[in-house]
Amino acid sequence: MRFRISKTNHSYILHPIFLALVFILNAIRNKLVFAPPTVYSVIFFVAAILLFVFVTYLICLFLFKENLKAGIFTSVLIFFVLWYFDVYYLLFNIQVIKEFVSNHLFQKFHIVLIGIIALLSFCIYFFLKRAKSKFILLNRYLNIVYFLFFLIELYKISFERRFEVIIQNKINFQNIHLQTNKDSVRDIYFIVMDCYTSSASLKKYWNYDNNDFEEYLKSKGFFIAENSRANYNSTPFCISSELNMSYLNLQSYDQAQKVQMSKTYDMVKNSAVAQLLATNGYEIKNYSLFDLLNTTAFYQDPFYHKTNLFDRTFFFFITERLHITHEHQSLINLENLNLDILSQINSLQKEKSPTFYYIHLMMPHFPYFFDENGTKMPDPYMLSEEQDKEKYLKQLKYTNKLIIKLTGKILEKSKAQPIIIIQGDHGFRSLQNRGEQIKESQTIFNAYLFPKDTSPISIVKDSISPVNSFRIIFNNYFGANLPLLDYKFCNTEIK
């Protein structure tokens, strides 16, 4: 038996190959948003997908003993295997289905989907096996349709333009001269708790009272901006905007999907805040997922550096469950990285020069490593996004304990009271209701500690948004004169 593009009644079986090529081009094109894949990874990816098509066709030919039927069923299997996660998100973004599986099937989304795919595949197989038709017209139709899809993908990967994200009204830090006398120069701590929502949202959606955490911070002099909202709802956009004290030129969700994400990382690296402080004698201590001036990222986040071209396929689902992917290890590493950051901050000695600390904890964000007491959870628990609303709250409670300990250590070792921002970059993004989810993703926890000789209420509004955080700091403590910006929000969640 030889694999070949066969011909039956003058009908060529091309659609399985076109379908595979559509997926290959689409996967490569999507990865260009994050980080261009290496030549080696592309060659391996293409070879593996074409080998899969070859083997699948041979198996189907053995089952059907007819080329056309084997080709049609090959296309069915290729679609389900290669577009597995696309089908997953398409199906479970339908509100009725999502709620039904959540409420009646214990949130076993993957088990439900695999069952549906298996049932559909069996029905199609049984229909093709019993049918007397040769399916010549269907075969020709599939050839034409998938060839057109192939041309569309080829055009997109060749000519589709990325959205050029830029900083609007970019601040020229060279034109700003900060007043840095001995009394005004203080250490600045920018502490980000990734995905930490507002206390109001915790009460509304989790029925959880975050009062103990807030009262502790207030007792230390913090001002809680209870109605604060994020300007964007994905981390690279949030941080690049805040550290540049300006909005980005994003106007829509679709534009965000076309941004070259490495550009936002460059914006953080060369941000106005970092450059202003560095040129005015500040040392930069970086414990984040971004490079910052000449300091390298403390860790690489596993969410925006996805280089695995197979990550939408059923193969990826299997290897993830076997814990043998690079992505899996990157997620596991976050557990130690979060605790390592806190350990290093706690053991730091006072620097001779004033210091800007950027501390970015990937908590209470998924993965859910801990329960509320800091007990390490097993892999199946922490890496599963099933029942993530409950897991999120448990890890948030433990995050509170870590932040309380961290702020206590910072205040204890500081000779002069530092300026501290404790902030969520965006809210929780996994509520079942899509409309509520977008609203919730805007709400953030936001707390400020300013020197005791100033009244935070007079300089910070309850509804402050992150784009103005450092404008307020520079205006009130370094003599800058930066106007505060009106609130804007753009849904930038990356698919």
Side-chain angles (χ1 to χ4, degrees), residues 15 33 95-96 106 193 200 214 228 265 346 365 462 465:
H15 51 87
V33 173
Q95 194 63 33
V96 175
F106 308 103
M193 306 174 293
E214 287 196 352
S228 184
Y265 281 71
N346 288 334
H365 193 288
D462 186 57
S465 64

Side-chain angles (χ1 to χ4, degrees), residues 213 217 222-225 420-424 445-449:
F213 182 51
L217 293 177
F222 280 84
F223 170 73
I224 312 294
I420 303 177
I421 301 173
I422 300 177
Q423 187 180 92
F445 185 87
N446 200 356
Y448 300 86
L449 179 67

Side-chain angles (χ1 to χ4, degrees), residues 388-453:
D388 58 350
K389 192 163 173 275
E390 291 77 13
K391 296 175 184 178
Y392 170 85
L393 180 59
K394 291 180 180 180
Q395 184 151 281
L396 181 142
K397 291 177 181 179
Y398 182 56
T399 304
N400 287 354
K401 295 176 181 179
L402 294 176
I403 294 298
I404 287 173
K405 183 177 179 181
L406 175 63
T407 52
K409 286 284 186 180
I410 291 172
L411 295 174
E412 180 183 315
K413 74 173 186 179
S414 299
K415 293 181 180 178
Q417 189 181 62
I419 297 170
I420 303 177
I421 301 173
I422 300 177
Q423 187 180 92
D425 53 349
H426 55 78
F428 185 72
R429 297 179 302 204
S430 298
L431 293 180
Q432 290 186 13
N433 184 285
R434 179 63 177 169
E436 290 293 310
Q437 176 184 319
I438 293 175
K439 292 179 183 178
E440 158 54 22
S441 69
Q442 300 176 43
T443 67
I444 57 171
F445 185 87
N446 200 356
Y448 300 86
L449 179 67
F450 296 112
K452 290 181 179 179
D453 56 353

Side-chain angles (χ1 to χ4, degrees), residues 9-214:
N9 293 336
H10 307 291
S11 184
Y12 292 95
I13 305 171
L14 300 169
H15 51 87
I17 295 177
F18 285 139
L19 184 58
L21 291 175
V22 168
F23 177 78
I24 289 170
L25 292 176
N26 184 265
I28 294 173
R29 182 169 63 86
N30 286 338
K31 282 291 173 271
L32 294 175
V33 173
F34 301 100
T38 64
V39 174
Y40 171 79
S41 65
V42 170
I43 292 173
F44 177 79
F45 176 65
V46 172
I49 296 299
L50 294 180
L51 179 63
F52 167 65
V53 174
F54 172 82
V55 172
T56 303
Y57 176 75
L58 287 182
I59 294 172
C60 291
L61 193 59
F62 174 78
L63 294 174
F64 288 99
K65 306 297 190 296
E66 295 181 50
N67 284 354
L68 295 184
K69 290 183 178 180
I72 291 169
F73 198 61
T74 297
S75 287
V76 171
L77 295 179
I78 288 172
F79 176 78
F80 284 138
V81 171
L82 299 187
W83 274 274
Y84 175 80
F85 278 99
D86 295 80
V87 175
Y88 176 90
Y89 290 116
L90 177 66
L91 187 64
F92 296 119
N93 276 335
I94 299 174
Q95 194 63 33
V96 175
I97 297 176
K98 186 175 183 179
E99 289 181 359
F100 178 80
V101 176
S102 296
N103 297 330
H104 302 288
L105 297 175
F106 308 103
Q107 295 195 354
K108 302 298 183 183
F109 294 103
H110 285 289
I111 293 176
V112 171
L113 179 57
I114 292 170
I116 292 173
I117 290 174
L119 180 62
L120 282 175
S121 299
F122 176 79
C123 292
I124 294 171
Y125 169 79
F126 186 77
F127 170 75
L128 292 174
K129 192 74 173 177
R130 295 292 299 271
K132 295 180 180 180
S133 171
K134 297 295 184 181
F135 296 102
I136 295 174
L137 291 178
L138 177 59
N139 183 75
R140 290 174 179 170
Y141 172 78
L142 292 176
N143 284 342
I144 294 171
V145 169
Y146 291 149
F147 178 67
L148 291 175
F149 279 130
F150 167 71
L151 291 180
I152 292 171
E153 281 299 327
L154 192 61
Y155 172 81
K156 286 182 177 180
I157 200 170
S158 302
F159 300 105
E160 185 179 65
R161 292 184 178 180
R162 294 292 169 195
F163 181 78
E164 187 66 27
V165 63
I166 60 173
I167 301 167
Q168 290 184 321
N169 303 316
K170 186 175 181 179
I171 294 174
N172 188 344
F173 73 94
Q174 294 176 335
N175 294 334
I176 300 176
H177 303 285
L178 302 184
Q179 299 172 9
T180 52
N181 57 59
K182 184 178 179 180
D183 294 329
S184 67
V185 173
R186 302 168 185 270
D187 290 342
I188 301 173
Y189 290 84
F190 178 44
I191 303 172
V192 177
M193 306 174 293
D194 208 292
C195 197
Y196 198 118
T197 190
S198 67
S199 295
S201 285
L202 289 173
K203 189 66 176 177
K204 180 178 179 180
Y205 297 109
W206 284 265
N207 195 29
Y208 175 70
D209 190 343
N210 205 27
N211 187 61
D212 288 347
F213 182 51
E214 287 196 352

Side-chain angles (χ1 to χ4, degrees), residues 195-405:
C195 197
Y196 198 118
T197 190
S198 67
S199 295
S201 285
L202 289 173
K203 189 66 176 177
K204 180 178 179 180
Y205 297 109
W206 284 265
N207 195 29
Y208 175 70
D209 190 343
N210 205 27
N211 187 61
D212 288 347
F213 182 51
E214 287 196 352
E215 287 303 314
Y216 168 81
L217 293 177
K218 288 177 182 178
S219 72
K220 299 299 181 181
F222 280 84
F223 170 73
I224 312 294
E226 296 180 357
N227 294 310
S228 184
R229 292 183 293 166
N231 303 113
Y232 306 94
N233 56 353
S234 53
T235 298
F237 299 115
C238 294
I239 302 302
S240 59
S241 172
E242 181 160 12
L243 289 184
N244 283 288
M245 301 180 284
S246 299
Y247 287 110
L248 309 179
N249 62 329
L250 291 167
Q251 300 294 326
S252 70
Y253 172 84
D254 289 337
Q255 287 178 344
Q257 307 309 308
K258 296 180 180 180
V259 169
Q260 180 76 48
M261 295 304 291
S262 60
K263 300 289 186 183
T264 62
Y265 281 71
D266 290 340
M267 289 177 181
V268 174
K269 180 178 181 179
N270 302 302
S271 60
V273 167
Q275 296 199 61
L276 260 173
L277 291 172
T279 55
N280 283 275
Y282 270 77
E283 184 175 348
I284 306 295
K285 292 287 187 179
N286 183 15
Y287 299 91
S288 79
L289 60 158
F290 300 96
D291 293 339
L292 201 60
L293 295 185
N294 61 346
T295 64
T296 57
F298 192 79
Y299 62 96
Q300 186 180 77
D301 80 278
F303 305 107
Y304 293 100
H305 287 84
K306 295 181 179 180
T307 58
N308 193 327
L309 290 162
F310 294 90
D311 63 3
R312 292 156 59 195
T313 70
F314 189 69
F315 301 126
F316 185 79
F317 171 75
I318 296 298
T319 53
E320 271 285 278
R321 291 306 181 271
L322 295 175
H323 302 165
I324 58 176
T325 64
H326 172 72
E327 286 76 9
H328 172 85
Q329 191 56 49
S330 296
L331 290 173
I332 293 296
N333 289 343
L334 283 178
E335 175 199 349
N336 294 328
L337 285 167
N338 283 320
L339 298 181
D340 193 26
I341 290 172
L342 295 170
S343 175
Q344 290 201 29
I345 296 297
N346 288 334
S347 61
L348 283 176
Q349 299 300 314
K350 179 70 180 73
E351 302 291 339
K352 293 182 180 180
S353 56
T355 307
F356 173 66
Y357 298 88
Y358 175 18
I359 303 164
H360 195 122
L361 301 177
M362 198 58 67
M363 293 174 69
H365 193 288
F366 169 86
Y368 303 111
F369 297 110
F370 306 105
D371 66 6
E372 61 267 41
N373 298 313
T375 303
K376 184 182 181 302
M377 306 309 290
D379 285 4
Y381 172 97
M382 66 184 183
L383 294 177
S384 169
E385 294 188 69
E386 295 170 356
Q387 298 177 332
D388 58 350
K389 192 163 173 275
E390 291 77 13
K391 296 175 184 178
Y392 170 85
L393 180 59
K394 291 180 180 180
Q395 184 151 281
L396 181 142
K397 291 177 181 179
Y398 182 56
T399 304
N400 287 354
K401 295 176 181 179
L402 294 176
I403 294 298
I404 287 173
K405 183 177 179 181

